[in-house]
Amino acid sequence: MAKVQVPVPSSVIAAGGLVGGYGVARWTKKRPLGGAVLAVAGAAAAQQWRQRAGGKAAGALTVAYVAAFAGSHPLAKKVGAWPAVLGVAGAVALASWAVADRRV
């Protein structure tokens, strides 16, 4: 019997990249390693965004992904690191789902 492969939604990839990147950086104490996780997941999500929603939407979602990463830093000073990361990851996942994954 043939296996049916279901692609991982871009919203999950993007949120996973933000959460996973932070987690890897924190637990290994190697920020570049966390940055690599963030970058690989961002590139994978961007590829799906482009395929599913087009170049303009992919560009906007990529900007949102990078802004979420950058914005989590000052937000962490107000609410704590994990709540900040989880909050921005949720926001990016919601935007990604609304723009690209909802149609699939």
Side-chain angles (χ1 to χ4, degrees):
M1 185 177 338
K3 288 185 179 182
V4 176
Q5 289 187 340
V6 179
V8 177
S10 61
S11 54
V12 173
I13 295 170
L18 289 161
V19 173
Y22 174 69
V24 167
R26 182 173 176 133
W27 291 317
T28 65
K29 298 186 181 0
K30 296 182 187 320
R31 292 179 78 183
L33 190 56
V37 170
L38 181 80
V40 168
Q47 182 179 20
Q48 282 193 17
W49 294 331
R50 193 176 323 103
Q51 290 171 348
R52 294 179 181 171
K56 287 183 183 181
L61 288 168
T62 300
V63 167
Y65 184 79
V66 173
F69 166 70
S72 69
H73 292 82
L75 183 60
K77 293 179 182 178
K78 296 180 193 270
V79 300
W82 277 112
V85 171
L86 294 173
V88 300
V92 168
L94 181 61
S96 179
W97 175 82
V99 172
D101 293 340
R102 171 174 61 155
R103 300 177 189 143
V104 178

